[in-house]
Amino acid sequence: MKRLLIVLLMALITVVAFADEQTTETTTFEEPILITSGGQSPGALQMMVLAKTGGFDFEFIKDVEPAKENIAAFNTIIVVVGASGKGLGAAGIDVDDEIARLEELVSLAKAEGKSVIIAQIEGATRRGPSSDKISDAIAHEAELLLIKKDADEDGKFTTIANENEIEIIHFEKTSDARGVLKDVFNK
Amino acid sequence: MKRAIVFVFSICLIVGVTFGAVTAQTVASSDGMVAAANAYAAEIGAEILEKGGNALDAAIAVSFALGVVEPYASGLGGEGYAVITMANGEKHAVDFKSMAPGGVTYDLLEELETSISDIRYTPKGALVPGVPAGIQKVYDLGATLPLEELIAPAIELAREGFVVNETFAKVTSDKYEALLNSAPEFLNDMLAWETGDVYKNEALAETMEMIAENGIKCFYEGQIAEDIAQYMEENDGFITKEDLENYVAYVKKPVQGTYRGYDVIVPGPPVSGPQLIAILNMLENYNLGLMGWDDPLAIHIIQQTLVLEDVDRRYFISDPDYYDLPVEGFMSKEYARRRIMKIDLNQAIDPDTYWDHGGNPTPFEEGKSFEDVLIEEGAKEAAAELVNVKESPSTTHFSILDKEGNAVAWTQTNSSFFGTTSFVNGFFMNNEIGNFASTYRDWDVINLEPGMRPRTTICPTIIEKDGEVRFIIGTPGGGRIVSTITNLIVDLIDFEMPVDKAIAKPKFVGYVWYDKIRMEKGLPEKTLEALEALGHELRLYEYPDLYFGGPNLISVGQDGMMIGAGSIRRNGAASAPEM
């Protein structure tokens, strides 16, 4: 009886451990990656540096137009959100133009079977009305949210993740995103 | 018992204390005071005072330190102006404005098929830096400690590193793309610096060590000059070794005006001292003290005055070695009376017509009275088209007062944040070329010429009453500088605000290029509605916003108590020695 109890206990532990592993397992994504900006802040360029120094197969097109031929070569699209008035101005667009581009891009990517990751890697300094407007427009469409911890102090991204059953990974520093990318791309 | 009565109003910014200096956003003391855009720099200044240095010693140490902790805003590759009043009554204005290299002309730019706007963020946009020469001039005016001792804290800070604050992180992020291209070695493993990171700058430490060992001369004639010239040659910049050798900082007589019984001591052209005097002369005609700081009529009067005198600045302020302009007339109280006739208390000037409201101070230059000019003529209208220069909220200002009463108001800048983004020997080269006219124009007063110093809006200010220092004021902020300083002076003198409240009050701007009143949120809704009723359009910014500058002030009470306040918009701090 005692032996049976031990076996049952061990089985239970295994099941619990397995269940835990199941719930915390990170979805994996596939290269090549298309990195683009969601708001024309320097965050996308920093993501490009992270991808480059991390040895990823990627292309960086800051303001890629939503067209099948522009995304055909990629398996995953990373949109780095963060609005910059200067960046939008340099691109000759306003935040609503940018949102329209991103909504179309994300929608097209999903229709074409591509994975979409929304990343915020600049933290709290890149939170504000325009940046939030962009996140509100597209973050719920992502398969994964990669969020710098201090950008989610008010729980905004966690709420989006919970409401839409999207996986969310937080990291402390921008440079930590490189390791997270390696995990989710199994590198 | 300690002589000093030092107490802290706020402990939010207290940093590591090596000596006894007390550092916070607002500090009071009777033993001396330093207010600067960064707590490390402010504390270094206070420690120099503590060691027995005077305000000039502390100013030099703070200037070097700011180049370390705010390399984006100012440093050895930049320029500036300092106003100094000594306890013995001497007054000086130290002009260390940058200077156009000898070979640069509009013809050359045409030949190279480029323009000032095209080269502003390239090595070609750098003018010959003035900060090191300015430091030498200030030193010669009466510093007491060896230069090595004044530069040592900055060397240590650069070598040992310091904790990056929000401002450092934000401005680095904003310029990330340019830095990645031009100065990747400045970045944190190719990424933007983040709040809480520790930034070290060994190259700058070595540069400053060279200065400590060989004197400031080596910046203009020695190894550092060689390095700058080599960088420029390799990167198609204009500055040559000869340009560096030819650079001179000047000690001039400051410009003086009065405002409601106070003496206002400011730098002369090509910076905004005369404009500030002209503004205060106009405002003196209104009893602002009877209004509140949030009274729409007071804001209307001040904003319209700022706009009118910004138009005038563009016609009457430039490098006096290159243009003979009616600066005395511009600063006369008689002219101010003529100018207030332009302000309609019922209706804001249509921004589309701002350029039609230039004045004519020339008759006042000759000493004519307001009545004479009014009878004889109307104001001569000036040409309409003027250069549109984008001015960034870069720059940095610090204020220092020692217990003997020596005062320094010092503003230094790289022009834009990170200047040209050319990173040489651990410091950034300014991009002051953008302050010259983009193309040659007959009517303009800022046409680029070799050796000329550009017109800018900086305005370090010392205000005295009955021969005693009462306020030391200054701010960065590009086109907002004069508006923010005017806001502060009116708040301190007319509305009798304490210095920390004056800094905190939401700021507004009057500037020719802004068709709307740009202002921080925080004014009552009724005030905003009333301003709109007067015909103003408003553009509101979140509060507080670095865009409106980062003033670092000192006020002195009649009892000698000094209150220093660092900017709330830029992680500024005040620091007092503990004697």
Side-chain angles (χ1 to χ4, degrees), chain A residues 96-177:
Chain A
D96 293 325
D97 297 331
E98 181 73 335
I99 287 171
R101 178 183 74 88
L102 294 166
E103 283 178 334
E104 204 179 329
L105 177 70
V106 169
S107 168
L108 178 68
K110 292 183 80 169
E112 293 295 306
K114 315 290 181 189
S115 299
V116 175
I117 297 174
I118 303 292
Q120 206 287 11
I121 64 169
E122 294 177 275
T125 54
R126 197 60 71 183
R127 280 287 307 276
S130 296
S131 295
D132 285 359
K133 201 172 169 185
I134 291 168
S135 300
D136 289 340
I138 59 168
H140 63 279
E141 297 282 3
E143 283 173 54
L144 172 66
L145 298 179
L146 293 182
I147 307 296
K148 190 167 177 232
K149 206 169 179 181
D150 69 341
D152 199 20
E153 275 174 352
D154 60 355
K156 179 182 181 62
F157 289 102
T158 299
T159 303
I160 292 173
N162 291 341
E163 285 176 354
N164 297 281
E165 295 181 347
I166 302 168
E167 190 176 350
I168 184 166
I169 300 176
H170 290 102
F171 50 90
E172 286 288 340
K173 297 180 67 64
T174 302
S175 55
D176 297 339

Coordinates of all heavy atoms in Angstrom, one line a residue, chain A residues 96-177:
Chain A
D96 N -1.9 57.8 -37.7 CA -3.0 57.0 -38.3 C -2.6 56.3 -39.5 O -3.1 55.2 -39.8 CB -4.2 58.0 -38.5 CG -4.8 58.5 -37.2 OD1 -4.8 57.7 -36.2 OD2 -5.2 59.6 -37.1
D97 N -1.8 57.0 -40.3 CA -1.3 56.3 -41.6 C -0.5 55.1 -41.2 O -0.6 54.0 -41.8 CB -0.3 57.3 -42.3 CG -1.0 58.5 -42.8 OD1 -2.2 58.4 -43.1 OD2 -0.3 59.5 -43.0
E98 N 0.3 55.2 -40.1 CA 1.2 54.1 -39.7 C 0.3 53.0 -39.2 O 0.6 51.8 -39.5 CB 2.1 54.6 -38.6 CG 3.1 53.6 -38.0 CD 4.2 53.2 -38.9 OE1 4.1 53.4 -40.1 OE2 5.3 52.8 -38.4
I99 N -0.7 53.3 -38.4 CA -1.6 52.2 -37.9 C -2.3 51.5 -39.1 O -2.4 50.3 -39.1 CB -2.7 52.8 -36.9 CG1 -1.9 53.2 -35.6 CG2 -3.8 51.9 -36.7 CD1 -2.8 54.0 -34.6
A100 N -2.7 52.3 -40.1 CA -3.4 51.6 -41.2 C -2.4 50.7 -41.9 O -2.8 49.5 -42.2 CB -3.9 52.7 -42.2
R101 N -1.2 51.1 -42.1 CA -0.2 50.2 -42.7 C 0.0 48.9 -41.8 O 0.0 47.8 -42.4 CB 1.2 50.9 -42.8 CG 2.3 50.1 -43.4 CD 3.6 50.8 -43.4 NE 4.3 51.0 -42.1 CZ 5.1 50.1 -41.5 NH1 5.4 49.0 -42.2 NH2 5.6 50.3 -40.3
L102 N 0.1 49.1 -40.5 CA 0.4 48.0 -39.6 C -0.8 47.0 -39.6 O -0.6 45.8 -39.6 CB 0.8 48.5 -38.2 CG 2.1 49.3 -38.2 CD1 2.2 50.0 -36.8 CD2 3.3 48.4 -38.4
E103 N -2.0 47.6 -39.5 CA -3.2 46.7 -39.4 C -3.2 45.8 -40.7 O -3.5 44.6 -40.6 CB -4.4 47.5 -39.3 CG -4.6 48.1 -37.9 CD -5.8 48.9 -37.7 OE1 -6.3 49.6 -38.7 OE2 -6.3 49.0 -36.6
E104 N -3.0 46.5 -41.8 CA -3.0 45.7 -43.1 C -1.9 44.7 -43.1 O -2.1 43.6 -43.6 CB -2.9 46.7 -44.2 CG -3.4 46.2 -45.5 CD -3.3 47.2 -46.7 OE1 -3.4 48.4 -46.4 OE2 -3.1 46.8 -47.8
L105 N -0.7 45.1 -42.7 CA 0.5 44.2 -42.7 C 0.2 43.0 -41.8 O 0.4 41.8 -42.2 CB 1.7 44.9 -42.2 CG 3.0 44.1 -42.1 CD1 3.5 43.8 -43.5 CD2 4.1 44.9 -41.3
V106 N -0.3 43.2 -40.6 CA -0.5 42.1 -39.7 C -1.6 41.2 -40.2 O -1.5 39.9 -40.2 CB -0.8 42.6 -38.3 CG1 -1.3 41.5 -37.3 CG2 0.4 43.3 -37.6
S107 N -2.6 41.8 -40.7 CA -3.7 41.0 -41.2 C -3.3 40.1 -42.4 O -3.6 38.9 -42.5 CB -4.8 42.0 -41.6 OG -5.8 41.4 -42.4
L108 N -2.5 40.7 -43.3 CA -2.0 40.0 -44.5 C -1.0 38.9 -44.0 O -1.1 37.8 -44.5 CB -1.2 41.0 -45.4 CG -0.5 40.4 -46.6 CD1 -1.6 39.9 -47.6 CD2 0.4 41.4 -47.3
A109 N -0.2 39.2 -43.0 CA 0.8 38.2 -42.6 C 0.0 37.0 -42.0 O 0.4 35.8 -42.3 CB 1.6 38.8 -41.5
K110 N -1.0 37.2 -41.3 CA -1.8 36.1 -40.7 C -2.5 35.3 -41.8 O -2.5 34.1 -41.8 CB -2.8 36.6 -39.6 CG -2.1 37.2 -38.4 CD -3.0 37.6 -37.3 CE -3.5 36.5 -36.5 NZ -4.2 36.9 -35.3
A111 N -3.0 36.0 -42.8 CA -3.7 35.4 -43.9 C -2.7 34.5 -44.7 O -3.1 33.4 -45.2 CB -4.4 36.4 -44.8
E112 N -1.5 34.9 -44.7 CA -0.5 34.2 -45.5 C 0.2 33.1 -44.6 O 1.2 32.5 -45.0 CB 0.6 35.2 -46.0 CG 0.1 36.2 -47.0 CD -0.3 35.5 -48.3 OE1 0.5 34.7 -48.9 OE2 -1.5 35.6 -48.7
G113 N -0.3 32.9 -43.4 CA 0.3 31.9 -42.5 C 1.6 32.3 -41.9 O 2.4 31.4 -41.4
K114 N 1.9 33.5 -41.8 CA 3.1 33.9 -41.1 C 2.9 34.1 -39.6 O 1.8 34.5 -39.2 CB 3.7 35.3 -41.7 CG 3.6 35.4 -43.2 CD 4.7 34.5 -43.9 CE 4.6 34.7 -45.4 NZ 5.5 33.7 -46.1
S115 N 3.9 34.0 -38.9 CA 3.8 34.3 -37.4 C 4.1 35.7 -37.2 O 4.9 36.3 -37.9 CB 4.8 33.4 -36.6 OG 4.6 32.1 -36.8
V116 N 3.4 36.3 -36.2 CA 3.6 37.7 -35.9 C 4.0 37.9 -34.4 O 3.3 37.3 -33.5 CB 2.3 38.5 -36.2 CG1 2.4 40.0 -35.7 CG2 1.9 38.4 -37.7
I117 N 5.1 38.6 -34.2 CA 5.5 38.9 -32.9 C 5.4 40.4 -32.8 O 5.9 41.1 -33.7 CB 6.9 38.4 -32.6 CG1 7.0 36.9 -32.7 CG2 7.4 38.9 -31.3 CD1 8.5 36.3 -32.6
I118 N 4.9 40.9 -31.7 CA 4.9 42.3 -31.4 C 5.9 42.5 -30.3 O 5.8 41.9 -29.2 CB 3.5 42.8 -31.0 CG1 2.4 42.5 -32.1 CG2 3.5 44.3 -30.7 CD1 2.5 43.3 -33.4
A119 N 6.8 43.4 -30.5 CA 7.8 43.7 -29.5 C 7.9 45.1 -29.1 O 7.7 46.0 -29.9 CB 9.2 43.3 -30.0
Q120 N 8.1 45.3 -27.8 CA 8.3 46.7 -27.2 C 9.6 46.6 -26.5 O 9.7 46.0 -25.4 CB 7.1 47.1 -26.3 CG 6.9 48.6 -26.2 CD 7.9 49.4 -25.4 OE1 9.0 48.9 -25.0 NE2 7.6 50.6 -25.1
I121 N 10.7 47.1 -27.1 CA 12.0 46.9 -26.4 C 12.6 48.2 -25.9 O 13.7 48.2 -25.5 CB 13.0 46.2 -27.4 CG1 13.3 47.1 -28.6 CG2 12.4 44.9 -27.9 CD1 14.4 46.6 -29.5
E122 N 11.9 49.3 -26.0 CA 12.5 50.6 -25.5 C 12.0 51.0 -24.1 O 12.4 52.0 -23.6 CB 12.1 51.7 -26.5 CG 12.8 51.5 -27.9 CD 12.4 52.6 -28.9 OE1 11.4 52.4 -29.5 OE2 13.1 53.6 -29.0
G123 N 11.0 50.3 -23.6 CA 10.6 50.5 -22.2 C 9.7 51.7 -22.0 O 9.1 52.2 -23.0
A124 N 9.6 52.1 -20.8 CA 8.6 53.1 -20.4 C 8.8 54.4 -21.1 O 7.8 55.1 -21.4 CB 8.8 53.4 -18.9
T125 N 10.1 54.7 -21.5 CA 10.3 56.0 -22.2 C 9.6 56.1 -23.6 O 9.4 57.1 -24.1 CB 11.8 56.3 -22.4 OG1 12.4 55.2 -23.1 CG2 12.5 56.6 -21.1
R126 N 9.2 54.9 -24.1 CA 8.6 54.9 -25.4 C 7.1 54.5 -25.2 O 6.5 53.9 -26.1 CB 9.3 53.9 -26.3 CG 9.0 54.0 -27.8 CD 9.3 55.4 -28.4 NE 10.7 55.6 -28.5 CZ 11.2 56.8 -29.0 NH1 10.4 57.8 -29.3 NH2 12.5 56.9 -29.1
R127 N 6.5 54.8 -24.0 CA 5.1 54.7 -23.9 C 4.5 56.1 -23.9 O 5.1 57.0 -23.4 CB 4.8 54.0 -22.5 CG 5.0 52.5 -22.4 CD 3.8 51.8 -23.1 NE 2.5 52.2 -22.7 CZ 1.9 51.7 -21.6 NH1 2.5 50.8 -20.8 NH2 0.7 52.1 -21.2
G128 N 3.4 56.2 -24.5 CA 2.7 57.5 -24.6 C 1.5 57.3 -25.5 O 1.2 56.2 -26.0
P129 N 0.7 58.4 -25.7 CA -0.6 58.2 -26.4 C -0.4 57.6 -27.8 O -1.2 56.7 -28.1 CB -1.1 59.7 -26.4 CG -0.4 60.4 -25.3 CD 0.9 59.7 -25.1
S130 N 0.6 58.1 -28.5 CA 0.7 57.6 -29.9 C 1.2 56.1 -29.9 O 0.7 55.3 -30.7 CB 1.6 58.4 -30.7 OG 1.1 59.7 -30.8
S131 N 2.2 55.9 -29.1 CA 2.7 54.5 -29.0 C 1.6 53.5 -28.5 O 1.4 52.4 -29.1 CB 3.9 54.4 -28.0 OG 4.9 55.1 -28.5
D132 N 0.8 53.9 -27.5 CA -0.3 53.1 -27.0 C -1.4 52.9 -28.1 O -1.9 51.8 -28.2 CB -0.9 53.7 -25.8 CG 0.0 53.6 -24.6 OD1 1.1 52.9 -24.7 OD2 -0.4 54.0 -23.5
K133 N -1.6 53.9 -28.9 CA -2.6 53.8 -30.0 C -2.2 52.7 -30.9 O -3.0 51.9 -31.4 CB -2.7 55.1 -30.7 CG -4.0 55.4 -31.4 CD -4.0 56.8 -31.9 CE -5.2 57.0 -32.9 NZ -5.2 58.4 -33.5
I134 N -0.9 52.6 -31.2 CA -0.4 51.6 -32.1 C -0.5 50.2 -31.5 O -1.0 49.3 -32.1 CB 1.1 51.9 -32.5 CG1 1.1 53.2 -33.4 CG2 1.7 50.7 -33.2 CD1 2.5 53.8 -33.6
S135 N -0.1 50.1 -30.3 CA -0.2 48.8 -29.6 C -1.6 48.4 -29.5 O -1.9 47.2 -29.7 CB 0.4 49.0 -28.1 OG 1.7 49.3 -28.2
D136 N -2.5 49.3 -29.2 CA -3.9 48.9 -29.1 C -4.5 48.4 -30.4 O -5.3 47.5 -30.5 CB -4.8 50.1 -28.7 CG -4.6 50.5 -27.2 OD1 -4.1 49.6 -26.5 OD2 -4.8 51.7 -26.8
A137 N -3.9 48.9 -31.5 CA -4.4 48.5 -32.8 C -4.0 47.2 -33.3 O -4.7 46.5 -34.0 CB -4.0 49.6 -33.8
I138 N -2.8 46.8 -32.9 CA -2.2 45.5 -33.4 C -1.8 44.4 -32.5 O -1.6 43.3 -32.8 CB -1.1 45.8 -34.4 CG1 0.1 46.5 -33.7 CG2 -1.5 46.6 -35.6 CD1 1.4 46.6 -34.5
A139 N -1.6 44.8 -31.2 CA -1.0 43.8 -30.3 C -1.8 42.6 -30.1 O -1.3 41.5 -29.9 CB -0.7 44.5 -28.9
H140 N -3.1 42.8 -30.1 CA -4.0 41.6 -29.9 C -4.0 40.6 -31.0 O -4.5 39.5 -30.9 CB -5.5 42.1 -29.7 CG -6.0 42.8 -30.9 ND1 -5.8 44.1 -31.2 CD2 -6.8 42.4 -31.9 CE1 -6.4 44.5 -32.3 NE2 -7.0 43.4 -32.8
E141 N -3.3 41.0 -32.1 CA -3.2 40.1 -33.3 C -2.0 39.2 -33.2 O -1.8 38.3 -34.0 CB -3.2 40.9 -34.6 CG -4.5 41.7 -34.9 CD -5.6 40.8 -35.4 OE1 -5.4 39.6 -35.5 OE2 -6.7 41.3 -35.7
A142 N -1.1 39.5 -32.3 CA 0.2 38.8 -32.2 C 0.1 37.4 -31.7 O -0.9 37.0 -31.0 CB 1.2 39.6 -31.3
E143 N 1.1 36.6 -32.0 CA 1.1 35.2 -31.4 C 2.0 35.3 -30.1 O 1.9 34.5 -29.2 CB 1.8 34.2 -32.3 CG 0.8 33.8 -33.4 CD 1.5 32.9 -34.4 OE1 2.2 31.9 -34.0 OE2 1.5 33.2 -35.6
L144 N 2.8 36.3 -30.1 CA 3.7 36.5 -28.9 C 4.0 38.0 -28.7 O 4.2 38.7 -29.7 CB 5.1 35.8 -29.2 CG 6.2 36.0 -28.2 CD1 5.8 35.4 -26.8 CD2 7.5 35.3 -28.7
L145 N 4.0 38.4 -27.4 CA 4.4 39.7 -27.1 C 5.7 39.7 -26.4 O 5.8 39.0 -25.4 CB 3.3 40.4 -26.2 CG 1.9 40.5 -26.7 CD1 1.0 41.2 -25.7 CD2 1.9 41.4 -28.0
L146 N 6.7 40.4 -26.9 CA 8.0 40.5 -26.3 C 8.1 41.9 -25.7 O 8.2 42.9 -26.4 CB 9.1 40.3 -27.3 CG 9.3 39.0 -27.9 CD1 10.5 39.0 -28.8 CD2 9.6 37.9 -26.8
I147 N 8.0 42.0 -24.4 CA 7.8 43.3 -23.8 C 8.9 43.6 -22.7 O 9.1 42.9 -21.8 CB 6.4 43.4 -23.1 CG1 5.3 43.0 -24.1 CG2 6.2 44.8 -22.5 CD1 5.2 43.9 -25.3
K148 N 9.6 44.8 -22.9 CA 10.5 45.2 -21.8 C 9.7 45.5 -20.6 O 8.6 46.2 -20.7 CB 11.3 46.5 -22.3 CG 12.4 46.8 -21.4 CD 13.3 47.8 -22.0 CE 14.4 48.2 -21.0 NZ 14.5 49.6 -20.8
K149 N 10.2 45.0 -19.5 CA 9.4 45.0 -18.3 C 8.8 46.4 -17.9 O 7.7 46.5 -17.5 CB 10.2 44.5 -17.1 CG 9.4 43.8 -16.0 CD 10.4 43.1 -15.1 CE 9.6 42.5 -13.9 NZ 10.5 41.8 -13.0
D150 N 9.7 47.4 -18.0 CA 9.2 48.7 -17.5 C 8.2 49.3 -18.5 O 7.6 50.4 -18.2 CB 10.4 49.7 -17.2 CG 11.1 50.1 -18.4 OD1 11.0 49.5 -19.5 OD2 11.8 51.1 -18.3
A151 N 8.0 48.7 -19.6 CA 6.9 49.2 -20.5 C 5.6 48.7 -20.1 O 4.6 49.1 -20.7 CB 7.3 48.8 -22.0
D152 N 5.6 47.8 -19.2 CA 4.3 47.1 -18.8 C 4.0 47.3 -17.3 O 3.4 46.5 -16.7 CB 4.4 45.6 -19.1 CG 3.1 44.9 -19.2 OD1 2.1 45.6 -19.4 OD2 3.0 43.7 -19.1
E153 N 4.6 48.4 -16.8 CA 4.4 48.6 -15.3 C 2.9 48.8 -15.0 O 2.5 48.5 -13.9 CB 5.2 49.8 -14.9 CG 6.6 49.4 -14.5 CD 7.5 50.5 -14.2 OE1 7.1 51.7 -14.4 OE2 8.7 50.3 -13.8
D154 N 2.1 49.3 -15.9 CA 0.7 49.5 -15.7 C -0.1 48.3 -16.1 O -1.3 48.3 -16.0 CB 0.2 50.8 -16.4 CG 0.4 50.7 -17.9 OD1 1.0 49.7 -18.4 OD2 -0.1 51.6 -18.6
G155 N 0.6 47.3 -16.6 CA -0.1 46.0 -16.9 C -0.8 46.1 -18.3 O -1.6 45.1 -18.6
K156 N -0.5 47.1 -19.1 CA -1.2 47.2 -20.3 C -1.0 46.0 -21.2 O -2.0 45.4 -21.8 CB -0.7 48.5 -21.1 CG -1.4 48.7 -22.4 CD -0.9 49.9 -23.1 CE -1.6 50.1 -24.5 NZ -3.0 50.3 -24.3
F157 N 0.2 45.6 -21.4 CA 0.5 44.5 -22.3 C 0.0 43.2 -21.7 O -0.4 42.3 -22.5 CB 2.0 44.5 -22.7 CG 2.4 45.6 -23.6 CD1 3.0 46.7 -23.1 CD2 2.0 45.6 -25.0 CE1 3.4 47.8 -23.9 CE2 2.4 46.7 -25.8 CZ 3.1 47.8 -25.3
T158 N 0.2 43.0 -20.4 CA -0.3 41.8 -19.8 C -1.8 41.7 -20.0 O -2.3 40.6 -20.2 CB 0.0 41.8 -18.3 OG1 1.5 41.9 -18.1 CG2 -0.4 40.6 -17.5
T159 N -2.5 42.8 -19.8 CA -4.0 42.7 -20.0 C -4.3 42.3 -21.5 O -5.2 41.4 -21.7 CB -4.6 44.1 -19.8 OG1 -4.2 44.5 -18.4 CG2 -6.1 44.1 -19.9
I160 N -3.6 42.9 -22.4 CA -3.9 42.5 -23.8 C -3.6 41.0 -24.0 O -4.3 40.3 -24.7 CB -3.0 43.3 -24.8 CG1 -3.4 44.8 -24.8 CG2 -3.0 42.8 -26.2 CD1 -2.5 45.7 -25.6
A161 N -2.5 40.6 -23.4 CA -2.1 39.1 -23.5 C -3.2 38.2 -22.9 O -3.6 37.3 -23.5 CB -0.8 38.9 -22.9
N162 N -3.6 38.6 -21.7 CA -4.6 37.8 -21.0 C -5.9 37.8 -21.8 O -6.6 36.7 -21.9 CB -4.8 38.3 -19.6 CG -3.6 38.0 -18.7 OD1 -2.8 37.2 -19.1 ND2 -3.5 38.7 -17.6
E163 N -6.4 38.9 -22.2 CA -7.7 39.0 -22.9 C -7.7 38.3 -24.2 O -8.8 37.8 -24.6 CB -8.0 40.5 -23.1 CG -8.5 41.2 -21.8 CD -8.7 42.7 -22.0 OE1 -8.5 43.2 -23.1 OE2 -9.2 43.3 -21.0
N164 N -6.5 38.2 -24.8 CA -6.5 37.6 -26.1 C -5.8 36.2 -26.2 O -5.5 35.7 -27.2 CB -5.9 38.5 -27.1 CG -6.7 39.8 -27.3 OD1 -7.7 39.8 -28.0 ND2 -6.3 40.9 -26.6
E165 N -5.5 35.7 -24.9 CA -4.8 34.5 -24.8 C -3.5 34.4 -25.7 O -3.3 33.5 -26.5 CB -5.7 33.3 -25.1 CG -6.8 33.2 -24.1 CD -7.8 32.0 -24.4 OE1 -7.7 31.4 -25.5 OE2 -8.6 31.7 -23.5
I166 N -2.7 35.4 -25.5 CA -1.4 35.5 -26.2 C -0.3 35.3 -25.2 O -0.4 35.8 -24.1 CB -1.3 37.0 -26.9 CG1 -2.4 37.3 -27.8 CG2 0.0 37.1 -27.6 CD1 -2.5 38.7 -28.2
E167 N 0.7 34.6 -25.7 CA 1.8 34.5 -24.8 C 2.6 35.8 -24.7 O 2.7 36.6 -25.6 CB 2.8 33.4 -25.4 CG 3.9 33.0 -24.4 CD 4.7 31.9 -25.0 OE1 4.4 31.3 -26.1 OE2 5.8 31.6 -24.4
I168 N 3.1 36.1 -23.5 CA 3.8 37.3 -23.3 C 5.1 37.0 -22.5 O 5.1 36.2 -21.6 CB 3.0 38.4 -22.5 CG1 3.8 39.7 -22.3 CG2 2.5 37.9 -21.1 CD1 2.9 40.9 -21.9
I169 N 6.2 37.5 -23.0 CA 7.5 37.3 -22.3 C 8.1 38.7 -22.0 O 8.2 39.6 -22.8 CB 8.5 36.6 -23.2 CG1 8.0 35.2 -23.6 CG2 9.9 36.4 -22.5 CD1 8.9 34.4 -24.6
H170 N 8.4 38.9 -20.7 CA 9.0 40.1 -20.2 C 10.5 39.9 -20.1 O 11.0 38.9 -19.9 CB 8.4 40.5 -18.9 CG 7.0 40.9 -18.9 ND1 6.0 40.1 -18.5 CD2 6.4 42.1 -19.3 CE1 4.8 40.7 -18.6 NE2 5.0 41.9 -19.1
F171 N 11.2 41.0 -20.3 CA 12.6 41.0 -20.1 C 13.0 42.4 -19.4 O 12.3 43.4 -19.6 CB 13.4 40.7 -21.3 CG 13.0 41.6 -22.5 CD1 13.6 42.8 -22.7 CD2 12.0 41.2 -23.3 CE1 13.2 43.6 -23.8 CE2 11.5 42.0 -24.4 CZ 12.2 43.2 -24.6
E172 N 14.1 42.4 -18.7 CA 14.5 43.6 -18.0 C 15.1 44.7 -18.9 O 14.8 45.8 -18.8 CB 15.6 43.2 -16.9 CG 15.0 42.5 -15.7 CD 14.2 43.3 -14.8 OE1 14.3 44.6 -14.8 OE2 13.4 42.7 -14.0
K173 N 16.2 44.3 -19.6 CA 16.9 45.3 -20.4 C 16.8 44.9 -21.9 O 16.6 43.8 -22.3 CB 18.4 45.2 -20.0 CG 18.6 45.7 -18.5 CD 20.1 45.6 -18.1 CE 20.9 46.7 -18.8 NZ 20.5 48.1 -18.5
T174 N 17.0 46.0 -22.7 CA 16.9 45.8 -24.1 C 17.8 44.6 -24.6 O 17.4 43.8 -25.4 CB 17.2 47.1 -24.9 OG1 16.3 48.1 -24.4 CG2 17.0 46.9 -26.4
S175 N 19.0 44.6 -24.1 CA 19.9 43.6 -24.5 C 19.5 42.2 -24.2 O 19.8 41.2 -24.8 CB 21.3 43.9 -24.0 OG 21.2 43.9 -22.6
D176 N 18.6 42.1 -23.1 CA 18.1 40.7 -22.8 C 17.2 40.2 -23.9 O 17.0 38.9 -23.9 CB 17.3 40.8 -21.5 CG 18.2 41.2 -20.3 OD1 19.4 41.1 -20.4 OD2 17.6 41.7 -19.3
A177 N 16.7 41.0 -24.7 CA 15.8 40.6 -25.8 C 16.5 39.6 -26.7 O 15.8 38.7 -27.3 CB 15.2 41.8 -26.5

